[in-house]
Amino acid sequence: VAIIRSQFDRICKEQNFSPQTVLSWLRDNDKLHTSGKGYTKTTRINGVPCNCVVMQMVQNEDEEFRESYKIP
């Protein structure tokens, strides 16, 4: 899943999350694809290169997530 960085930041802030903290957690837990040291990867949208947050989505991870965070 690729989300334009500015939109990712806006969505996080609207939900009272720190975008930097979320990105750090994603990277530390191998859920983020990057182009190097940063948090984004250049992705083309309609032929235009954009800096995007690219997250790895894994099937069957939902149950493991629920168990680790005690979500009913």
Side-chain angles (χ1 to χ4, degrees):
V1 174
I3 303 172
I4 298 170
R5 174 65 191 261
S6 61
Q7 296 304 307
F8 178 86
D9 289 352
R10 179 186 60 78
I11 292 165
C12 286
K13 288 175 185 175
E14 285 177 358
Q15 299 302 313
N16 295 319
F17 287 102
S18 164
Q20 192 72 21
T21 302
V22 173
L23 290 169
S24 292
W25 185 89
L26 288 168
R27 186 175 61 187
D28 292 348
N29 289 278
D30 297 322
K31 308 287 185 204
L32 198 62
H33 297 282
T34 64
S35 297
K37 290 185 178 182
Y39 295 111
T40 62
K41 184 174 186 177
T42 302
T43 305
R44 291 190 176 272
I45 299 176
N46 294 329
V48 179
C50 300
N51 287 323
C52 293
V53 174
V54 181
M55 295 177 280
Q56 174 185 352
M57 302 300 286
V58 179
Q59 291 181 347
N60 299 326
E61 189 175 72
D62 186 48
E63 189 61 36
E64 180 182 322
F65 178 83
R66 287 175 182 272
E67 287 295 317
S68 66
Y69 292 98
K70 308 292 186 232
I71 298 173

